Amino acid sequence: LTTPAVTATNATITVKTHIKNESAVARPCTLLTRIIDADGRVVLRMQKHTTIAAGGSHTFRQTGGITENLHLWSPANPYLYRVNSLVLEEDKAIDFVENPLGIRWFEFVRGEGFFLNGEPFKIRGLNRHQSFPHVGYALGPEAQAHDADILKFELGCNLVRTSHYPQSKAFLDRCDEIGLLVFEEIPGWQHIGGEAFRAQSVKNVEA
């Protein structure tokens, strides 16, 4: 999910969905993607169709816009839409996935600082590792999510920097829900590899 263009009143949303046909025959496939607001209203509907070869795959790319009653995400108002993607075969849903989406834009302005949704924003943040005493990384999702609550509600942070490895999805989802900005480091520490490593690092930064 990406939002290549956002203003205070309009947002362009691009959804890329990779679908694999694991059967032994070619199958027709329709992808219906709906953007649903916090009140359950469908604010954007996108649909594409193709036939996927046996054992093959296809990546759908759908782009649309929200032009009315746009709600922007911010730490003060962490508004989340739902992106609901249905895989249809002859109008019957055979698979689906749903992801949250917060819409916002940000920029650094030379000599002025960080801006979120067009407004100056003072960053207060801490670094976070997800290893815990006695259990290391083997900690459940509730405890990972609770770390976000501590940073936001007990320590007064509005941003967290994650350290050196892919973070728990439960932690990142909770940051979205409660309004905690995330600076996600690329995987790796004190090491620069060959060309493939560096190319992948660039992709990680873009993501």
Side-chain angles (χ1 to χ4, degrees):
L1 307 177
T2 56
T3 51
V6 180
T7 69
T9 57
N10 299 276
T12 300
I13 300 168
T14 297
V15 183
K16 291 173 68 177
T17 310
H18 187 74
I19 298 175
K20 184 176 181 180
N21 176 11
E22 296 181 333
S23 70
V25 297
R27 298 176 70 173
C29 174
T30 297
L31 176 66
L32 171 61
T33 300
R34 299 173 298 169
I35 311 296
I36 303 168
D37 70 13
D39 295 318
R41 292 187 293 262
V42 176
V43 297
L44 178 61
R45 179 186 176 100
M46 301 178 286
Q47 185 168 309
K48 281 192 173 182
H49 177 83
T50 193
T51 297
I52 304 178
S57 62
H58 180 77
T59 299
F60 288 91
R61 180 185 173 92
Q62 299 168 301
T63 298
I66 299 176
T67 57
E68 294 182 2
N69 301 317
L70 177 65
H71 297 276
L72 296 177
W73 183 99
S74 71
N77 180 33
Y79 191 98
L80 293 176
Y81 291 88
R82 290 184 290 131
V83 182
N84 180 279
S85 299
L86 285 167
V87 179
L88 306 173
E89 189 175 71
E90 297 179 354
D91 296 326
K92 179 183 178 182
I94 59 173
D95 203 355
F96 84 99
V97 66
E98 187 169 278
N99 290 287
L101 173 66
I103 298 173
R104 79 288 179 270
W105 88 92
F106 59 90
E107 59 185 334
F108 284 94
V109 178
R110 184 185 297 272
E112 297 185 43
F114 180 74
F115 283 67
L116 179 66
N117 299 330
E119 299 292 333
F121 188 87
K122 185 175 182 179
I123 294 172
R124 295 186 307 274
L126 290 170
N127 185 74
R128 186 244 184 188
H129 280 282
Q130 67 178 27
S131 57
F132 285 75
H134 312 298
V135 294
Y137 295 159
L139 202 74
E142 289 184 1
Q144 297 283 1
H146 184 59
D147 245 14
D149 289 343
I150 292 172
L151 285 161
K152 169 92 180 199
F153 301 118
E154 296 185 27
L155 300 177
C157 295
N158 55 32
L159 178 138
V160 57
R161 173 186 179 262
T162 63
S163 289
H164 311 324
Y165 40 79
Q167 297 283 301
S168 163
K169 186 176 185 299
F171 174 77
L172 296 175
D173 285 348
R174 186 60 178 161
C175 290
D176 288 343
E177 293 167 3
I178 64 176
L180 191 61
L181 291 163
V182 178
F183 177 82
E184 193 171 16
E185 276 288 0
I186 64 174
W189 185 57
Q190 294 188 346
H191 173 75
I192 298 175
E195 290 186 12
F197 182 99
R198 293 195 293 271
Q200 184 61 48
S201 294
V202 171
K203 290 182 180 180
N204 292 147
V205 171
E206 290 174 348

